Coordinates of all heavy atoms in Angstrom, one line a residue:
Chain B
Y418 N 150.9 80.9 62.8 CA 151.4 81.6 61.6 C 152.2 82.8 62.0 O 153.2 83.1 61.5 CB 150.2 81.9 60.7 CG 149.6 80.7 60.0 CD1 148.6 80.0 60.6 CD2 150.1 80.3 58.8 CE1 148.1 78.9 60.0 CE2 149.6 79.2 58.2 CZ 148.6 78.5 58.8 OH 148.1 77.4 58.1
Q419 N 151.6 83.5 63.0 CA 152.3 84.7 63.5 C 153.6 84.4 64.1 O 154.6 85.1 63.8 CB 151.4 85.4 64.5 CG 151.6 86.9 64.6 CD 150.6 87.5 65.5 OE1 149.5 86.9 65.7 NE2 150.8 88.6 66.1
A420 N 153.7 83.3 64.8 CA 154.9 82.9 65.5 C 156.0 82.6 64.4 O 157.2 83.0 64.6 CB 154.7 81.7 66.4
V421 N 155.7 81.9 63.4 CA 156.7 81.6 62.4 C 157.1 82.9 61.6 O 158.3 83.1 61.3 CB 156.3 80.5 61.4 CG1 155.3 80.9 60.4 CG2 157.5 79.9 60.7
A422 N 156.2 83.7 61.4 CA 156.5 85.0 60.6 C 157.4 85.9 61.5 O 158.2 86.5 60.9 CB 155.2 85.7 60.3
E423 N 157.2 85.8 62.8 CA 158.0 86.7 63.6 C 159.3 86.0 64.1 O 160.1 86.5 64.9 CB 157.2 87.1 64.9 CG 156.2 88.1 64.5 CD 155.2 88.4 65.6 OE1 155.4 87.9 66.7 OE2 154.3 89.2 65.4
G424 N 159.5 84.7 63.6 CA 160.8 84.0 63.9 C 160.8 83.4 65.3 O 161.8 83.0 65.8
E425 N 159.6 83.3 65.9 CA 159.6 82.7 67.3 C 159.8 81.2 67.1 O 160.4 80.5 68.0 CB 158.2 82.9 67.9 CG 157.8 84.3 68.1 CD 158.6 84.9 69.3 OE1 158.9 84.1 70.2 OE2 158.8 86.1 69.3
V426 N 159.2 80.6 66.0 CA 159.6 79.2 65.7 C 160.0 79.3 64.2 O 159.8 80.3 63.5 CB 158.4 78.2 65.8 CG1 157.9 78.1 67.3 CG2 157.2 78.7 64.9
D427 N 160.7 78.1 63.7 CA 161.2 78.2 62.4 C 160.4 77.5 61.4 O 160.3 77.9 60.2 CB 162.6 77.5 62.4 CG 163.5 78.2 63.4 OD1 163.9 79.3 63.2 OD2 163.8 77.6 64.5
V428 N 159.7 76.4 61.8 CA 158.9 75.6 60.9 C 157.5 75.4 61.6 O 157.4 75.3 62.8 CB 159.5 74.2 60.7 CG1 158.7 73.3 59.8 CG2 160.9 74.4 60.2
I429 N 156.4 75.4 60.8 CA 155.1 75.1 61.4 C 154.4 74.0 60.6 O 154.7 73.8 59.4 CB 154.2 76.4 61.5 CG1 154.0 77.0 60.1 CG2 154.7 77.3 62.5 CD1 152.9 78.0 60.1
S430 N 153.4 73.4 61.2 CA 152.5 72.5 60.5 C 151.4 73.3 59.9 O 150.4 73.6 60.5 CB 151.9 71.5 61.5 OG 151.0 72.1 62.4
A431 N 151.6 73.8 58.7 CA 150.6 74.6 58.0 C 149.5 73.8 57.3 O 149.7 72.6 57.1 CB 151.3 75.5 57.0
Y432 N 148.4 74.5 57.0 CA 147.4 73.9 56.2 C 147.6 74.5 54.8 O 147.6 75.7 54.6 CB 146.0 74.2 56.7 CG 145.9 74.0 58.2 CD1 145.6 75.1 59.0 CD2 146.1 72.8 58.8 CE1 145.5 75.0 60.4 CE2 146.0 72.7 60.2 CZ 145.7 73.8 61.0 OH 145.6 73.6 62.3
S433 N 147.7 73.6 53.8 CA 148.2 74.0 52.5 C 147.3 75.1 51.8 O 147.9 75.9 51.1 CB 148.4 72.8 51.6 OG 147.1 72.2 51.3
T434 N 146.0 75.2 52.1 CA 145.2 76.2 51.5 C 145.0 77.5 52.4 O 144.3 78.3 52.0 CB 143.8 75.7 51.1 OG1 143.3 75.1 52.3 CG2 143.9 74.7 50.0
D435 N 145.8 77.5 53.5 CA 145.5 78.6 54.4 C 145.9 79.9 53.8 O 147.1 80.0 53.2 CB 146.3 78.4 55.7 CG 145.7 79.1 56.8 OD1 145.6 80.4 56.7 OD2 145.3 78.5 57.8
G436 N 145.1 80.9 53.8 CA 145.3 82.2 53.2 C 146.5 82.9 53.9 O 147.2 83.8 53.3
R437 N 146.8 82.5 55.1 CA 147.9 83.2 55.8 C 149.3 82.8 55.3 O 150.3 83.5 55.6 CB 147.8 82.9 57.3 CG 146.6 83.6 58.0 CD 146.3 83.1 59.3 NE 145.7 81.7 59.3 CZ 145.1 81.2 60.3 NH1 145.0 81.8 61.5 NH2 144.6 80.0 60.2
I438 N 149.4 81.8 54.5 CA 150.7 81.4 53.9 C 151.2 82.5 53.0 O 152.3 83.0 53.1 CB 150.6 80.1 53.1 CG1 150.3 78.9 54.1 CG2 151.8 79.8 52.3 CD1 149.8 77.7 53.5
A439 N 150.3 83.0 52.2 CA 150.6 84.1 51.3 C 150.8 85.4 52.1 O 151.7 86.2 51.9 CB 149.6 84.3 50.2
A440 N 149.8 85.6 53.0 CA 149.8 86.8 53.8 C 151.1 87.0 54.6 O 151.6 88.2 54.6 CB 148.6 86.9 54.7
Y441 N 151.7 86.0 55.1 CA 152.9 86.1 55.9 C 154.1 85.8 55.1 O 155.2 85.7 55.7 CB 152.8 85.2 57.1 CG 151.9 85.7 58.2 CD1 150.8 84.9 58.7 CD2 152.0 86.9 58.8 CE1 149.9 85.3 59.6 CE2 151.2 87.4 59.8 CZ 150.1 86.6 60.2 OH 149.3 87.0 61.2
D442 N 154.0 85.6 53.8 CA 155.1 85.3 52.9 C 155.8 84.0 53.4 O 157.0 84.0 53.6 CB 156.1 86.5 52.8 CG 157.0 86.4 51.6 OD1 156.7 85.5 50.7 OD2 158.0 87.1 51.6
L443 N 155.1 82.9 53.5 CA 155.7 81.6 53.8 C 155.8 80.7 52.6 O 155.1 81.0 51.6 CB 154.8 80.9 54.9 CG 154.4 81.7 56.1 CD1 153.5 80.8 57.0 CD2 155.6 82.3 56.9
V444 N 156.6 79.7 52.7 CA 156.6 78.7 51.6 C 156.3 77.4 52.2 O 156.6 77.1 53.4 CB 158.0 78.6 50.9 CG1 158.2 79.8 50.0 CG2 159.1 78.4 51.9
L445 N 155.7 76.5 51.4 CA 155.5 75.1 51.9 C 156.6 74.2 51.3 O 156.9 74.3 50.1 CB 154.1 74.7 51.4 CG 152.9 75.5 51.9 CD1 151.6 74.9 51.3 CD2 152.9 75.5 53.4
L446 N 157.1 73.3 52.1 CA 158.2 72.5 51.7 C 157.6 71.2 51.0 O 156.6 70.7 51.4 CB 159.0 72.0 52.9 CG 159.6 73.2 53.7 CD1 160.5 72.7 54.8 CD2 160.4 74.2 52.8
E447 N 158.2 70.8 49.9 CA 157.7 69.7 49.1 C 157.9 68.4 49.9 O 159.0 68.1 50.4 CB 158.5 69.7 47.8 CG 157.9 68.6 46.9 CD 158.9 68.3 45.7 OE1 159.8 69.2 45.4 OE2 158.9 67.2 45.2
D448 N 156.9 67.6 49.9 CA 156.9 66.3 50.5 C 157.5 65.3 49.5 O 156.7 64.6 48.9 CB 155.5 65.9 51.0 CG 155.4 64.5 51.6 OD1 156.4 63.9 52.0 OD2 154.3 63.9 51.6
D449 N 158.8 65.4 49.3 CA 159.4 64.7 48.1 C 159.4 63.2 48.2 O 159.5 62.5 47.2 CB 160.8 65.2 47.9 CG 161.7 65.2 49.2 OD1 161.1 65.6 50.2 OD2 162.8 64.8 49.1
Q450 N 159.2 62.7 49.4 CA 159.1 61.2 49.6 C 157.7 60.7 49.6 O 157.4 59.6 49.8 CB 159.8 60.8 50.9 CG 161.2 61.3 51.0 CD 162.3 60.2 51.1 OE1 161.9 59.0 51.0 NE2 163.5 60.6 51.2
G451 N 156.7 61.7 49.5 CA 155.3 61.3 49.4 C 154.8 60.6 50.7 O 154.2 59.5 50.6
V452 N 155.0 61.2 51.8 CA 154.6 60.6 53.1 C 153.2 61.0 53.5 O 152.4 60.2 54.1 CB 155.6 61.0 54.2 CG1 155.1 60.7 55.6 CG2 157.0 60.4 53.9
I453 N 152.9 62.3 53.3 CA 151.6 62.8 53.7 C 150.5 62.4 52.7 O 150.7 62.6 51.5 CB 151.6 64.3 53.9 CG1 152.6 64.7 55.0 CG2 150.2 64.9 54.2 CD1 152.8 66.2 55.2
P454 N 149.4 61.8 53.2 CA 148.4 61.4 52.3 C 147.7 62.6 51.6 O 147.7 63.7 52.1 CB 147.4 60.6 53.1 CG 147.6 61.2 54.5 CD 149.0 61.5 54.6
P455 N 147.1 62.4 50.4 CA 146.4 63.5 49.8 C 145.2 63.9 50.6 O 144.5 63.0 51.1 CB 146.1 62.9 48.4 CG 146.1 61.4 48.6 CD 147.1 61.1 49.6
Y456 N 144.9 65.1 50.6 CA 143.7 65.6 51.3 C 142.8 66.4 50.4 O 142.6 67.5 50.5 CB 144.2 66.6 52.5 CG 144.6 65.9 53.7 CD1 145.8 65.3 53.8 CD2 143.7 65.7 54.8 CE1 146.2 64.6 55.0 CE2 144.0 65.1 55.9 CZ 145.3 64.5 56.0 OH 145.6 63.8 57.1
D457 N 142.3 65.6 49.4 CA 141.4 66.2 48.4 C 140.1 66.6 49.2 O 139.5 65.8 49.9 CB 141.0 65.1 47.4 CG 141.8 65.3 46.1 OD1 141.6 66.4 45.5 OD2 142.5 64.4 45.8
A458 N 139.7 67.8 48.9 CA 138.4 68.3 49.4 C 137.3 67.6 48.7 O 137.2 67.7 47.4 CB 138.3 69.8 49.3
I459 N 136.4 66.9 49.4 CA 135.3 66.1 48.7 C 134.0 66.5 49.3 O 133.9 66.7 50.5 CB 135.6 64.6 48.7 CG1 135.9 64.2 50.2 CG2 136.7 64.2 47.8 CD1 136.1 62.7 50.3
V460 N 133.0 66.6 48.4 CA 131.6 66.9 48.9 C 130.9 65.5 49.2 O 130.9 64.7 48.4 CB 130.8 67.6 47.9 CG1 129.4 67.9 48.4 CG2 131.5 68.9 47.5
L461 N 130.5 65.4 50.5 CA 129.8 64.2 50.9 C 128.3 64.4 51.0 O 127.9 65.4 51.5 CB 130.3 63.7 52.2 CG 131.9 63.5 52.4 CD1 132.2 62.9 53.8 CD2 132.4 62.6 51.3
A462 N 127.5 63.4 50.5 CA 126.1 63.5 50.6 C 125.6 62.4 51.5 O 126.1 61.2 51.4 CB 125.4 63.5 49.3
R463 N 124.6 62.6 52.3 CA 124.1 61.6 53.2 C 123.4 60.5 52.5 O 123.0 60.6 51.3 CB 123.0 62.3 54.2 CG 121.7 62.6 53.5 CD 120.6 62.9 54.5 NE 119.5 63.5 53.9 CZ 118.5 62.9 53.3 NH1 118.5 61.6 53.2 NH2 117.5 63.6 52.7
P464 N 123.4 59.3 53.1 CA 122.7 58.1 52.5 C 121.3 58.5 52.1 O 120.5 59.2 52.8 CB 122.6 57.1 53.7 CG 123.7 57.5 54.6 CD 123.8 59.0 54.5
G465 N 120.9 58.2 50.9 CA 119.6 58.4 50.4 C 119.3 59.8 49.7 O 118.3 60.0 49.0
L466 N 120.2 60.7 49.9 CA 120.0 62.0 49.3 C 120.0 61.9 47.7 O 119.1 62.6 47.1 CB 121.1 63.0 49.7 CG 120.8 64.5 49.3 CD1 119.6 65.1 50.1 CD2 122.0 65.4 49.4
A467 N 120.9 61.1 47.2 CA 120.9 61.0 45.7 C 119.6 60.5 45.2 O 119.2 60.9 44.1 CB 122.1 60.0 45.3
R468 N 118.9 59.6 45.9 CA 117.7 59.0 45.5 C 116.5 60.0 45.7 O 115.7 60.2 44.8 CB 117.4 57.7 46.3 CG 116.3 56.9 45.7 CD 116.2 55.6 46.5 NE 115.8 55.9 47.9 CZ 116.6 55.7 48.9 NH1 117.8 55.2 48.8 NH2 116.2 56.0 50.1
E469 N 116.5 60.7 46.9 CA 115.4 61.5 47.2 C 115.5 62.9 46.5 O 114.4 63.5 46.2 CB 115.3 61.8 48.7 CG 115.0 60.5 49.5 CD 115.5 60.6 51.0 OE1 115.5 61.7 51.5 OE2 115.8 59.6 51.6
R470 N 116.6 63.4 46.4 CA 116.8 64.8 45.8 C 117.9 64.8 44.8 O 118.9 65.4 45.0 CB 117.0 65.8 46.9 CG 115.8 66.0 47.8 CD 116.1 67.1 48.8 NE 114.8 67.6 49.4 CZ 114.7 68.4 50.4 NH1 115.8 68.8 51.0 NH2 113.6 68.8 50.8
P471 N 117.7 64.1 43.7 CA 118.8 64.0 42.7 C 119.2 65.4 42.2 O 120.3 65.7 41.8 CB 118.2 63.2 41.6 CG 116.7 63.1 41.8 CD 116.5 63.3 43.3
E472 N 118.2 66.4 42.2 CA 118.4 67.7 41.7 C 119.5 68.4 42.5 O 120.2 69.3 41.9 CB 117.1 68.5 41.6 CG 116.6 69.0 42.9 CD 115.7 68.0 43.6 OE1 115.8 66.8 43.4 OE2 114.8 68.4 44.5
V473 N 119.6 68.1 43.8 CA 120.6 68.7 44.6 C 122.0 68.3 44.1 O 122.9 69.1 44.0 CB 120.4 68.4 46.1 CG1 121.6 68.8 46.9 CG2 119.1 69.0 46.6
L474 N 122.2 67.0 43.9 CA 123.5 66.5 43.5 C 123.8 67.0 42.1 O 125.0 67.4 41.8 CB 123.5 65.0 43.5 CG 124.0 64.4 44.8 CD1 123.0 64.7 45.9 CD2 124.2 62.9 44.7
A475 N 122.8 67.1 41.2 CA 123.0 67.7 39.9 C 123.5 69.1 40.0 O 124.4 69.5 39.2 CB 121.8 67.6 39.1
A476 N 122.9 69.9 40.9 CA 123.3 71.3 41.1 C 124.7 71.4 41.5 O 125.4 72.5 41.1 CB 122.4 71.9 42.1
L477 N 125.2 70.4 42.2 CA 126.6 70.6 42.7 C 127.7 70.1 41.6 O 128.9 70.4 41.8 CB 126.8 69.8 44.0 CG 125.9 70.3 45.1 CD1 126.1 69.4 46.3 CD2 126.3 71.7 45.5
R478 N 127.2 69.4 40.6 CA 128.2 68.9 39.6 C 129.2 69.9 39.1 O 130.4 69.6 39.0 CB 127.5 68.2 38.4 CG 126.8 66.9 38.7 CD 127.7 65.7 38.5 NE 127.5 64.8 39.6 CZ 126.3 64.1 39.8 NH1 125.3 64.2 38.9 NH2 126.1 63.3 40.8

Side-chain angles (χ1 to χ4, degrees):
Chain B
Y418 288 91
Q419 205 170 340
V421 73
E423 289 170 1
E425 301 284 333
V426 295
D427 305 290
V428 180
I429 58 166
S430 68
Y432 316 117
S433 62
T434 51
D435 203 302
R437 287 168 289 195
I438 292 167
Y441 287 122
D442 198 14
L443 309 180
V444 290
L445 300 180
L446 305 181
E447 186 197 335
D448 176 21
D449 50 318
Q450 307 241 3
V452 169
I453 297 178
Y456 277 78
D457 261 299
I459 49 178
V460 179
L461 306 186
R463 72 165 163 85
L466 188 71
R468 195 178 59 250
E469 294 160 26
R470 288 182 163 173
E472 72 275 24
V473 170
L474 272 66
L477 294 177
R478 286 271 139 67

